Amino acid sequence: MADPSTQLFNIQIDGVWHQFPKGTRVIEACEQAGSYVPRYCYHKKLSSPGNCRMCLIEMGFPRLGPDRKPELGADGKPVINWIPRPQISCAQDVSEGMAVRTNSPLVKECQRGVMEFLLINHPLDCPICDQAGECRLQEFSVDFGNSKSRFLEHKVKKPKNVQIGPRVTLDDERCILCSRCIRFCQEIAHDDVLGFVDRGSYTLLTAHPGKRLENNYSLNTVDICPVGALTSTDFRFKMRVWFLKETKSICTSCATGCNTVIGSREDVIYRQTPRENDHVNSSWMCDYGRLNFKFLEAEYRLLEPRIRSEGRLVAVDWPIAIEQAALQLKQFSGPEIAIIASGRMTNEELWLTFQLANLLGVEMIDIVPRRGPGDDILLSKDRNPNTNGARLIFRSTSEPGAKLLAIADAVKSGQIKALAIFKENTMHLGIPVEQLAQLPVFIAMNILPNEATEKASVVLPACGFAEKRGSMVNGKGRLQRLNRAVRPPGNARDDWEILRDLLQAIGGGDSGSSIDDIFRRISETVPQFVGLNLNKIGDLGVHILQMEELPPMHPTDEEAIEQAIAIQAARRAVPSH
Ligand code: SF4
Ligand code: SF4
Ligand code: FES
């Protein structure tokens, strides 16, 4: 017997017969058949209350003859009995023989009517509204509405500029009462905070008494609000959306790796919004990750490579900085050198770091573990985006982060003479700054300065997540790409180029002239990457690691990681980006 979940139904849409699997919403079937049905309240990731009526269509079913079989017309197709009233298409699934009209005179009349009702009390805010450019009300008004208003009365006045939460601003006059934001909070964020009050034209969206829209997913309501009623307090009035360059990338603020679109203009990031990927983040992302890009524009960013000369750090050009770093590292043997890398580095950067360690005979190499409270929605406890990349590339027998305190101890005991720290803050590791200052060689590659950077013998300014390309493996084993949205400021350089040049200067040969070359080298040496290249990863990523196949974490590793995290938490004087 056929699997009922794969059962196909024959559906006629605008006169053409199609087949759709059982369970397909009529509105989705129409869209897949090329007949887009306008909608406001419907969102495919939320329940369907059917309250806006924008998706009205005509619906019918085959007329049955006396033998209970569909009567066939002259064209050999079933004759349709049309339901005399229009139906909403968002709350009903397809069924065998169903027929739909999406562009008949009746449907068009319904659409014009709904648009007229919605616009009766809508303010004429478009020129100053932040939603302009991505507003469904504007778009559908042009596509499905009337060009003139017959409304002569005064519009109802409602609250404007309401701080409904710390990150979201509400304009009640613009709200079309679709209830998407209410359902999102109830169904996805599990925080029943929004609701409607009052009746008729006076109905208002508001937060329940004593509550605010402040959950860590609040900005998703801004994404799904079809009009400019909910806007991001951070983004509003900063940039017209049509000026934004959109770059597909991933969030690097935790191990989930939510898929994103970075909106930027002239090398400034204005916003990050979620990109749909059902394998990772559905259509959502958390506020913490979404807003975690401001540090890239910090005034105090590291902009020039610098080397220590006569006790002071002086700016030099890149070849000199690389040459100095190589010369300094080559003075020592493997057991005297330690490398602290970061779980925020890409696979390509980690691979080059690992080659560097191999070339120098370094065994003291690890990443800094980073954890925070997770939730059961998206936010992961592991706040490093690429712990799994480090796990695969470093091929260490201990968990990423478990060797860190041993490295810190070796620095403190004086065993380590040369320390290279990439994209991390040594101040968080319990190594006193005075001890770092005593190190003969201390090479720091980072985005922002910190107290420890000032003690470095060579400082290498590098790129943030939105300024470079590369790949990462998320917490569930999915290999994903991040892409460059903006150029780095000053003389900061792509991390992989810095590491490649350093490797070459130490005598490691040429690793390649592009990030694609580095990925190719990874795919030749790390089994999980075999057969892949950056193109094959695609926009939605590929699964390369079954987490169940990994050996369970050793209790002593767990203990060492917890300890390292506790030390960092105690020492963190400034919030880490
Ligand atoms: S604020 Fe936006 S999402 Fe919420 S009900 Fe109003 S129009 Fe819909
Ligand atoms: S859940 Fe994690 S990856 Fe997703 S947006 Fe938040 S911090 Fe970023
Ligand atoms: S989209 Fe169908 S009723 Fe709103």
Side-chain angles (χ1 to χ4, degrees):
M1 209 170 102
D3 176 0
S5 62
T6 57
Q7 197 179 347
L8 290 174
F9 289 144
N10 296 296
I11 319 292
Q12 189 202 81
I13 297 175
D14 293 331
V16 182
W17 287 91
H18 302 266
Q19 286 197 320
F20 292 101
K22 183 182 178 181
T24 309
R25 284 282 152 102
V26 176
I27 196 168
E28 295 290 343
C30 293
E31 188 168 353
Q32 285 168 34
S35 300
Y36 181 79
V37 178
R39 75 286 306 261
Y40 287 116
C41 68
Y42 175 73
H43 188 287
K44 64 181 173 182
K45 300 288 170 62
L46 301 174
S47 59
S48 301
N51 63 1
C52 76
R53 320 311 282 179
M54 192 63 208
C55 66
L56 287 168
I57 48 149
E58 280 192 82
M59 191 180 282
F61 293 92
R63 184 193 299 163
L64 300 182
D67 56 356
R68 309 302 297 157
K69 294 215 172 107
E71 281 182 20
L72 299 182
D75 58 356
K77 302 283 187 201
V79 178
I80 303 296
N81 261 348
W82 293 95
I83 301 172
R85 283 170 307 160
Q87 307 289 311
I88 55 170
S89 57
C90 66
Q92 192 162 337
D93 290 350
V94 294
S95 58
E96 179 56 35
M98 178 187 274
V100 170
R101 286 181 186 141
T102 67
N103 56 12
S104 64
L106 175 64
V107 170
K108 287 184 186 302
E109 186 54 31
C110 290
Q111 289 167 345
R112 278 195 292 273
V114 172
M115 282 308 301
E116 188 168 20
F117 269 120
L118 287 175
L119 289 169
I120 277 180
N121 283 305
H122 196 81
L124 297 172
D125 271 358
C126 299
I128 51 121
C129 178
D130 238 35
Q131 192 79 0
E134 50 190 8
C135 174
R136 288 291 189 216
L137 205 60
Q138 280 187 350
E139 288 163 11
F140 293 167
S141 174
V142 173
D143 292 343
F144 307 101
N146 284 319
S147 57
K148 284 191 186 141
S149 169
R150 294 182 290 168
F151 191 69
L152 300 174
E153 295 78 2
H154 290 297
K155 289 178 186 272
V156 175
K157 295 282 172 219
K158 292 184 184 175
K160 290 178 94 70
N161 201 7
V162 180
Q163 296 305 310
I164 198 165
R167 294 172 290 279
V168 180
T169 305
L170 165 68
D171 184 314
D172 257 314
E173 283 185 351
R174 298 178 189 161
C175 173
I176 56 164
L177 307 171
C178 73
S179 81
R180 276 183 177 189
C181 55
I182 299 175
R183 283 174 282 137
F184 172 83
C185 288
Q186 289 170 340
E187 296 164 16
I188 308 291
H190 309 304
D191 180 23
D192 190 0
V193 58
L194 298 175
F196 292 136
V197 292
D198 295 339
R199 309 292 292 267
S201 311
Y202 295 93
T203 307
L204 280 184
L205 175 81
T206 186
H208 296 321
K211 287 197 163 186
R212 295 189 85 206
L213 177 56
E214 59 192 358
N215 62 60
N216 191 24
Y217 293 86
S218 69
L219 283 166
N220 292 285
T221 61
V222 173
D223 302 331
I224 59 173
C225 178
V227 297
L230 294 173
T231 50
S232 158
T233 310
D234 176 64
F235 176 68
R236 70 201 302 252
F237 304 135
K238 296 260 174 69
M239 184 54 64
R240 284 303 197 183
V241 294
W242 51 85
F243 289 132
L244 292 178
K245 179 181 84 173
E246 298 197 326
T247 308
K248 291 177 185 169
S249 196
I250 54 171
C251 173
T252 55
S253 295
C254 88
T256 304
C258 292
N259 289 209
T260 60
V261 173
I262 302 174
S264 63
R265 188 184 184 199
E266 293 174 0
D267 292 332
V268 176
I269 299 175
Y270 285 91
R271 69 175 183 184
Q272 287 193 101
T273 45
R275 183 163 57 86
E276 185 178 357
N277 185 345
D278 287 339
H279 298 284
V280 181
N281 56 309
S282 185
S283 300
W284 325 115
M285 72 187 294
C286 79
D287 295 359
Y288 158 72
R290 185 191 296 248
L291 297 174
N292 196 9
F293 62 84
K294 311 276 173 168
F295 65 93
L296 295 176
E297 272 132 44
E299 276 176 16
Y300 50 94
R301 263 191 76 158
L302 295 172
L303 298 175
E304 300 291 339
R306 293 188 295 165
I307 60 170
R308 189 162 295 283
S309 168
E310 295 172 6
R312 285 187 316 117
L313 279 173
V314 291
V316 291
D317 58 19
W318 273 106
I320 295 179
I322 295 289
E323 191 192 321
Q324 265 301 315
L327 278 175
Q328 292 181 11
L329 284 171
K330 279 200 284 189
Q331 290 171 41
F332 297 99
S333 65
E336 294 171 315
I337 308 173
I339 299 179
I340 296 175
S342 174
R344 290 167 168 174
M345 291 166 84
T346 63
N347 295 323
E348 294 74 13
E349 294 155 14
L350 289 169
W351 187 83
L352 286 162
T353 306
F354 191 56
Q355 303 313 307
L356 195 66
N358 286 343
L359 189 65
L360 293 165
V362 173
E363 286 188 359
M364 290 251 176
I365 174 173
D366 207 349
I367 64 165
V368 176
R370 183 174 280 106
R371 287 189 190 163
D375 61 28
D376 291 331
I377 306 170
L378 289 173
L379 187 63
S380 167
K381 274 191 199 149
D382 182 358
R383 297 294 170 84
N384 275 331
N386 201 20
T387 305
N388 277 331
R391 197 174 258 140
L392 296 178
I393 289 164
F394 285 179
R395 281 179 262 166
S396 164
T397 47
S398 51
E399 278 294 303
K403 284 198 271 180
L404 193 69
L405 285 187
I407 296 176
D409 286 344
V411 174
K412 282 192 251 175
S413 71
Q415 177 200 325
I416 297 299
K417 307 280 188 309
L419 175 66
I421 179 149
F422 301 144
K423 310 301 278 283
E424 290 291 354
N425 182 354
T426 6
M427 293 309 297
H428 294 165
L429 305 177
I431 310 172
V433 75
E434 301 74 39
Q435 247 161 352
L436 289 171
Q438 298 301 319
L439 281 170
V441 174
F442 175 31
I443 292 164
M445 178 174 89
N446 217 334
I447 305 171
L448 299 177
N450 53 56
E451 212 184 325
T453 332
E454 291 308 306
K455 307 293 173 205
S457 52
V458 181
V459 178
L460 306 168
C463 285
F465 72 96
E467 296 163 349
K468 58 188 183 182
R469 285 175 71 215
S471 63
M472 293 187 171
V473 185
N474 83 354
K476 297 213 168 123
R478 198 169 184 84
L479 176 65
Q480 308 195 99
R481 288 190 307 210
L482 67 163
N483 284 310
R484 171 184 270 205
V486 291
R487 285 173 299 183
N491 237 338
R493 220 171 150 210
D494 219 321
D495 308 38
W496 80 268
E497 286 180 343
I498 302 173
L499 292 164
R500 187 256 336 248
D501 289 357
L502 189 55
L503 188 61
Q504 208 166 331
I506 291 172
D510 190 4
S511 309
S513 56
S514 70
I515 197 89
D516 304 83
D517 288 343
I518 309 295
F519 191 92
R520 193 172 317 117
R521 302 288 299 274
I522 301 177
S523 71
E524 285 162 7
T525 47
V526 182
Q528 287 82 356
F529 290 72
V530 168
L532 288 169
N533 59 44
L534 280 174
N535 278 342
K536 279 193 189 162
I537 296 175
D539 289 336
L540 298 179
V542 288
H543 222 81
I544 61 162
L545 179 65
Q546 301 303 326
M547 299 310 293
E548 313 79 60
E549 287 170 19
L550 288 172
M553 193 190 272
H554 197 277
T556 54
D557 283 355
E558 175 74 9
E559 223 170 89
I561 291 171
E562 289 301 334
Q563 237 179 323
I565 287 163
I567 290 176
Q568 291 171 67
R571 295 207 144 236
R572 195 164 288 130
V574 284
S576 71
H577 59 255

